[in-house]
Amino acid sequence: MTSRSVSAAAFAEAKRFIPGGVNSPVRAFRGVGGEPFFVQRAKGSHIWDVDGNELIDYVGTWGPAILGHAPEVVLSAIRETAAHGVSFGIPNPLEVEMARLICEWVPSIQKVRMVNSGTEATMSALRLARGFTGRDKVVKFEGCYHGHVDSLLVRAGSGALTHGEPDSAGVPRAFADLTITLPFNDPEALRALFSREGREIAAVILEPIPANAGLYFAQPGFLEELRRLCTEYGALLIFDEVMTGFRVARGGAQELFGITPDLTALGKVIGGGLPVGAFGGRADIMDRLSPDGPVYQAGTLSGNPLAMAAGLAQLRELERVNGWARLEQLGALLEENIREALQRQGRPMAFHRVGSMFCLFFTPGPVLNLADAQRSDRAAFARYFHSCLEAGVYFAPSQFETGFISLAHTEADIVETARIAAESL
Ligand code: HOZ
């Protein structure tokens, strides 16, 4: 049995001063039982806890670490930039470089504004959509998670779902009333809603690849129908690509599917591990932002030079090595090994993957929406999670999260992971 006594002591101390002992609920292991370990350091595909245990990591700081932990290109960019100052609150050239890169890589984005987290990105995109359309209602999908934005913590995924609070306390009824939720992959429900109140809808926001209630995919035609309805009724289509942006393809999920949203929210990979988000889209919409337009949005640390430098270094490295092709290879290797193990053991379980993102559901499936994902055997997932952790593999501590492979993972890491996963089923 692995010893984690130093982590246990650190957690006890943390709980005295930090609510629940964590600065974000998903870290608390509530979905799997037990207590979180404390990390000492992370490099490449591995992390070491304060007790000296080494783990192959598939959380990747919840998505940003696409090159692996602490890659040299990012570290040296941070060091070089820090030598000139760590924050200015004055326009700096790195912000413009980042904006130009985003606009070049994601053609639906003609203008972009940097913020400090994915939550800020979706929150601001929503306000802009309301300001632009002059309408109040927004539509989201059950199980999609868009950060802890008041009006989006309704039937939400990720930690909200894991902890059984998909409708958070503290969100005024009046806000929640303006949020309409629909099941994912239900075009009939979508059409019915639009024909009833389409002209009152400011925006539809979704993860084009839902990855916060496990990982599942849009059925053929669903995203196209959504795009068509938004256009017909004058509602804005917002893609939350905080997880998928720059990860599933250079141009994100919208490039994979060939769908053009009006606005896009970004985060995670874009910051190279530093706190960054961004939202952007059509210039005529973005120009409604202050100081040119009436929609106010601001941030002391937005466009922070260290964050811009780290993000730019990570994105350029990804492109230099054509990281997406390599991530697909590694993802395919994991999938092949896991599927083979499931078949060998006669375990009909839904394994979903897109590039370097993956999820093993403890249900035979099909999993097409939140209700399907909730059929997973969460007790079995918890046993699997702890068995993998004990054997040296760290997956996200919830059935309702997604795994991330990085460019630092090796074939040997992947094969070893699949072996441990198979033994833990
Ligand atoms: N957005 C992350 C994936 N579900 C979770 C990060 C967090 O809530 O701390």
Side-chain angles (χ1 to χ4, degrees):
M1 184 76 181
T2 306
S3 162
R4 292 219 157 84
S5 56
V6 183
S7 284
F11 192 49
E13 184 73 349
K15 281 192 286 192
R16 293 180 57 213
F17 302 108
I18 303 173
V22 290
N23 279 315
S24 195
V26 292
R27 303 175 194 173
F29 276 37
R30 296 277 172 92
V32 289
E35 292 188 344
F37 60 84
F38 275 59
V39 65
Q40 179 73 272
R41 69 188 178 94
K43 187 73 182 170
S45 57
H46 287 221
I47 50 185
W48 288 261
D49 69 19
V50 291
D51 293 273
N53 304 300
E54 182 173 352
L55 297 160
I56 309 175
D57 176 32
Y58 291 93
V59 177
T61 187
W62 300 92
I66 198 165
L67 300 179
H69 290 286
E72 198 42 51
V73 281
V74 172
L75 295 185
S76 52
I78 293 173
R79 275 193 293 264
E80 278 164 31
T81 307
H84 300 287
V86 297
S87 176
F88 306 122
I90 300 169
N92 74 80
L94 290 169
E95 299 171 81
V96 188
E97 271 185 60
M98 176 61 94
R100 188 187 301 118
L101 183 148
I102 293 171
C103 293
E104 279 172 15
W105 288 19
V106 187
S108 73
I109 301 183
Q110 296 169 333
K111 288 193 176 178
V112 60
R113 183 161 278 178
M114 303 307 301
V115 291
N116 302 288
S117 69
T119 291
E120 264 190 71
T122 56
M123 177 188 78
S124 306
L126 220 53
R127 183 182 308 138
L128 177 58
R130 284 173 160 149
F132 179 80
T133 58
R135 304 172 182 179
D136 290 338
K137 291 185 182 172
V138 296
V139 180
K140 77 174 286 286
F141 292 93
E142 294 166 1
C144 279
Y145 176 72
H146 306 288
H148 59 103
V149 179
D150 273 345
S151 54
L152 296 176
L153 275 180
V154 182
R155 303 283 289 150
S158 191
L161 181 60
T162 298
H163 301 127
E165 291 140 9
D167 304 292
S168 174
V171 174
R173 165 62 70 84
F175 290 16
D177 284 349
L178 294 173
T179 305
I180 302 161
T181 53
L182 290 178
F184 196 75
N185 271 327
D186 187 343
E188 275 311 314
L190 206 54
R191 281 190 283 270
L193 172 71
F194 268 92
S195 71
R196 226 174 33 244
E197 44 198 315
R199 303 266 166 221
E200 294 162 49
I201 296 171
V204 179
I205 186 167
L206 78 159
E207 302 174 73
I209 301 176
N212 278 290
L215 175 72
Y216 46 82
F217 306 112
Q219 292 289 87
F222 181 68
L223 295 176
E224 287 79 0
E225 182 66 347
L226 188 49
R227 176 66 275 182
R228 186 188 71 73
L229 288 164
C230 284
T231 305
E232 183 181 336
Y233 286 88
L236 300 188
L237 179 60
I238 306 175
F239 271 13
D240 176 346
E241 294 229 45
V242 170
M243 276 187 171
T244 51
F246 309 111
R247 177 171 278 278
V248 296
R250 186 177 180 267
Q254 54 196 271
E255 178 185 305
L256 278 189
F257 300 136
I259 307 270
T260 304
D262 300 299
L263 293 173
T264 298
L266 296 165
K268 299 202 189 269
V269 167
I270 202 179
L274 272 71
V276 180
F279 67 103
R282 276 169 37 197
D284 62 320
I285 303 172
M286 293 301 290
D287 284 339
R288 303 300 289 162
L289 280 176
S290 184
D292 285 347
V295 179
Y296 200 72
Q297 186 281 330
T300 298
L301 294 171
S302 297
N304 173 268
L306 296 191
M308 296 302 95
L312 282 165
Q314 169 144 285
L315 294 172
R316 287 179 180 142
E317 180 66 5
L318 260 175
E319 181 167 59
R320 190 186 71 77
V321 300
N322 189 12
W324 299 282
R326 173 69 180 156
L327 289 168
E328 171 58 29
Q329 274 175 3
L330 292 168
L333 181 65
L334 182 69
E335 176 166 2
E336 187 187 310
N337 278 265
I338 297 275
R339 285 198 188 284
E340 202 260 323
L342 292 173
Q343 199 169 24
R344 199 173 55 239
Q345 297 184 25
R347 300 284 298 267
M349 291 164 66
F351 181 81
H352 289 184
R353 179 184 73 86
V354 54
S356 57
M357 298 170 71
F358 65 91
C359 176
L360 178 63
F361 285 105
F362 279 72
T363 173
V367 180
L368 299 174
N369 55 31
L370 175 63
D372 294 339
Q374 284 180 308
R375 282 189 201 102
S376 294
D377 181 343
R378 291 169 72 182
F381 174 85
R383 286 192 297 275
Y384 163 80
F385 167 84
H386 280 293
S387 170
C388 290
L389 187 65
E390 183 69 21
V393 172
Y394 180 45
F395 292 126
S398 167
Q399 171 71 91
F400 302 125
E401 298 288 352
T402 290
F404 297 103
I405 299 170
S406 78
L407 283 179
H409 285 86
T410 62
E411 269 102 359
D413 283 335
I414 299 283
V415 170
E416 172 71 350
T417 298
R419 183 189 68 72
I420 289 171
E423 283 174 6
S424 300
L425 284 171

